[in-house]
Amino acid sequence: MTEEMTEFDALVVGAGLWGCVVARELAEAGNRVLVLEARSLPGGNARSQIDPKTGIECHCYGAHIFHTSDERVWAYANRFISFTDYRHRVLTEHDGKVYFMPLGLALINAFYGTNLKPADVPGFIAGEVAKAGLTGEPRNLEEQAISLIGRPLYEAFIKGYTQKQWNTDPKDLPSFIIRRLPVRANYDIGYFNDPHQGVPREGYFTLFANLLDHPAITVRYNTDYLAQREAFPAELPVFYSGPLDAYFNYRYGALPWRGLRFEWETKPVRDWQGCTVMNYADASVPYTRIHEFKHFHPEREAVYQSEKTIICREFPADWKLGDIPYYPVNTAASAELLAKYQADAAACPNVIFGGRLGEYRYYDMDKVIARALDQVHAYLAQA
């Protein structure tokens, strides 16, 4: 394989969003790029596919909505795919009643049975916080949330959901996880504030295919780079987006993640829940949310109006080596472990680590693109 690798100028490990952007930028700069992907298709956890029986495009690993305030990223993404004008709205069920998320006038007035006006919200929330009687700096997630929104809203909409998501009492989670918990003093029920929002008109699978569609890019699927890395020339630049700890053979132990489990069901009705995502705030409900994917694309009229729909229940799950990682677990212990791996990564002069796995960091899709562009352009400037 060493002789064969002389045909390439760079190796990209992982065909998720970070790897696809890096490979494309390297290729457009005149490099011959080999991409190795452990799965059988590109896209990582943002991959989608068309269900052959219903024609519904399903997001394979939970709902993904592209949103950004970064004009550079928006222009870049639109080079490879056009986006619909989909605007994400999330509802949450608590105690048998449905509310609009995030926390805003619609939720507050419905929950408290009041009719506050925008100017009333800051004082009302301040009063709820004062009733909690907390003193000193918040010591954990629970105290941090209560110090921002008061106890009733916290216990109704944050506590149970968080406990399910992390399988941990919020009192045992660090405060910084929820240090920014906005409350809107209006009836805006859009989930994101970014000016640019949507989903790929032709599907996420088309976005990844278009990114990799370059004559200087070669992709090999079902290929484990770490199992054969010794076969690659040491001088070959490597852009690595696999698990950071796996690159170093878990020498300090595995970085902790939370996993997910999905249950899929086809329903013989046109519309089952009336929205794309319904959250379930109560700890008594084992799943955190239900997706109904046809709502992403009402413009696909034949599919949208059909008498079948697909739902997917999303369950938080404990994670072990070999499972798909979803959310890094940010604790003091994991930060200490991460620092050790980061020090080792900095000592690898010919390897650039990136993406959620490679940096052990939760990134939205636009931040993944921005990070990939910054890293690859820095490399090209020095090459």
Side-chain angles (χ1 to χ4, degrees):
M1 182 177 293
T2 303
E3 292 183 1
E4 179 188 1
M5 286 306 302
T6 60
E7 302 175 8
F8 299 100
D9 302 305
L11 172 64
V12 175
V13 179
L17 185 55
W18 185 89
C20 288
V21 171
V22 167
R24 183 71 185 211
E25 291 300 288
L26 289 170
E28 291 187 354
N31 296 280
R32 299 161 300 173
V33 184
L34 175 62
V35 179
L36 302 181
E37 169 54 47
R39 302 184 191 183
S40 60
L41 292 166
N45 288 357
R47 181 168 64 86
S48 68
Q49 64 184 30
I50 300 293
D51 175 66
K53 294 183 179 180
T54 63
I56 298 170
E57 181 186 348
C58 297
H59 298 190
C60 302
Y61 303 100
H64 285 77
I65 301 93
F66 196 89
H67 58 98
T68 188
S69 299
D70 189 325
E71 296 296 337
R72 177 187 62 151
V73 167
W74 182 243
Y76 186 85
N78 276 272
R79 284 183 53 199
F80 302 98
I81 200 79
S82 63
F83 289 85
T84 69
D85 60 357
Y86 174 83
R87 293 295 183 268
H88 196 46
R89 293 178 174 84
V90 172
L91 296 99
T92 187
E93 182 177 306
H94 162 64
D95 197 23
K97 188 174 179 180
V98 174
Y99 301 85
F100 279 107
M101 292 290 283
L103 298 172
L105 264 180
L107 182 148
I108 292 170
N109 282 338
F111 180 72
Y112 285 100
T114 187
N115 188 25
L116 299 177
K117 298 297 186 288
D120 303 326
V121 172
F124 181 84
I125 294 297
E128 291 301 300
V129 170
K131 291 177 185 177
L134 296 179
T135 59
E137 285 295 314
R139 297 168 295 178
N140 51 53
L141 185 151
E142 177 167 289
E143 290 186 0
Q144 181 70 67
I146 292 172
S147 73
L148 294 171
I149 61 174
R151 187 174 296 277
L153 288 175
Y154 162 73
E155 292 187 345
F157 301 105
I158 307 297
K159 183 177 182 178
Y161 193 94
T162 301
Q163 192 166 337
K164 289 188 291 185
Q165 184 71 28
W166 298 104
N167 193 28
T168 303
D169 190 318
K171 294 178 182 177
D172 297 325
L173 290 170
S175 61
F176 67 79
I177 292 179
I178 201 165
R179 195 157 287 164
R180 295 178 63 185
L181 186 61
V183 176
R184 292 179 183 167
N186 55 42
Y187 284 101
D188 180 4
I189 57 174
Y191 196 71
F192 302 114
N193 293 321
D194 299 295
H196 305 299
Q197 301 180 36
V199 291
R201 196 174 300 279
E202 298 174 5
Y204 281 105
F205 50 87
T206 304
L207 169 62
F208 297 116
N210 290 346
L211 281 165
L212 294 171
D213 185 17
H214 191 284
I217 297 177
T218 300
V219 186
R220 294 178 184 164
Y221 296 105
N222 302 306
T223 302
D224 182 355
Y225 162 73
L226 295 178
Q228 51 185 298
R229 68 173 119 181
E230 300 302 325
F232 296 95
E235 66 275 10
L236 186 70
V238 176
F239 295 80
Y240 177 82
S241 63
L244 176 60
D245 48 4
Y247 186 89
F248 298 101
N249 296 312
Y250 306 102
R251 61 176 60 156
Y252 307 117
L255 288 162
W257 294 83
R258 284 294 285 163
L260 294 176
R261 178 173 64 85
F262 301 98
E263 288 185 358
W264 297 82
E265 187 176 354
T266 300
K267 296 283 190 179
V269 294
R270 181 175 299 180
D271 188 353
W272 188 75
Q273 69 178 11
C275 62
T276 312
V277 178
M278 178 72 74
N279 286 359
Y280 290 83
D282 300 332
S284 58
V285 179
Y287 40 85
T288 52
R289 52 185 182 170
I290 297 180
H291 310 273
E292 186 172 4
F293 294 102
K294 68 159 43 179
H295 288 285
F296 275 126
H297 290 283
E299 78 281 1
R300 299 177 183 176
E301 293 187 11
V303 173
Y304 192 74
Q305 298 298 332
S306 71
E307 295 299 326
K308 288 186 178 181
T309 190
I310 294 177
I311 66 167
C312 176
R313 296 177 179 88
E314 182 177 312
F315 297 78
D318 292 332
W319 177 87
K320 63 182 183 301
L321 283 178
D323 294 342
I324 296 174
Y326 287 91
Y327 302 105
V329 179
N330 294 309
T331 63
S334 66
E336 182 178 347
L337 191 59
L338 175 60
K340 294 180 180 179
Y341 283 119
Q342 288 174 329
D344 287 353
C348 297
N350 219 31
V351 184
I352 295 175
F353 297 84
R356 286 189 180 187
L357 301 183
E359 296 189 74
Y360 191 69
R361 182 174 177 179
Y362 185 87
Y363 280 117
D364 285 331
M365 286 185 288
D366 66 323
K367 301 301 190 297
V368 171
I369 292 176
R371 181 67 172 150
L373 291 174
D374 289 343
Q375 287 178 286
V376 73
H377 290 167
Y379 164 80
L380 290 170
Q382 296 175 357

